[in-house]
Amino acid sequence: MKNDVVTVRLDDDLKPLLEKAVRRSGKTRSEIVRDALRRHLLVLQLDQIRNRVMPSAEARGYLTDEDIFKDIS
């Protein structure tokens, strides 16, 4: 398995937060950054899907997540 290397420049406020997460979790910086990127990309994908289906959902009366939960609970 080939791994690509990506260089990321951190803002001054992010480096101490990342180092703190490394100490607390026992994970490497790379693991934490990969996990964060993976989650962020999934959130972006979910937002895109939500934006595509919202007009249809709103037409059926689904305006909030709670509206959906009421019907499936």
Side-chain angles (χ1 to χ4, degrees), residues 7-73:
T7 301
V8 177
R9 297 184 196 284
L10 299 178
D11 296 337
D12 291 339
D13 61 330
L14 283 178
K15 185 174 180 183
L17 295 173
L18 178 57
E19 295 305 325
K20 188 176 186 179
V22 166
R23 286 191 306 275
R24 286 186 172 180
S25 69
K27 294 182 178 182
T28 66
R29 287 187 288 177
S30 291
E31 289 171 316
I32 291 172
V33 170
R34 274 193 303 271
D35 288 348
L37 179 58
R38 188 175 289 113
R39 286 181 181 150
H40 183 72
L41 294 174
L42 287 172
V43 167
L44 290 176
Q45 185 178 21
L46 179 60
D47 286 345
Q48 290 172 346
I49 293 168
R50 183 184 298 262
N51 288 336
R52 270 200 327 260
V53 301
M54 275 311 290
S56 177
E58 287 174 350
R60 289 176 175 79
Y62 296 109
L63 304 178
T64 66
D65 290 343
E66 288 76 25
D67 294 334
I68 296 168
F69 294 142
K70 284 180 207 169
D71 277 359
I72 63 172
S73 298

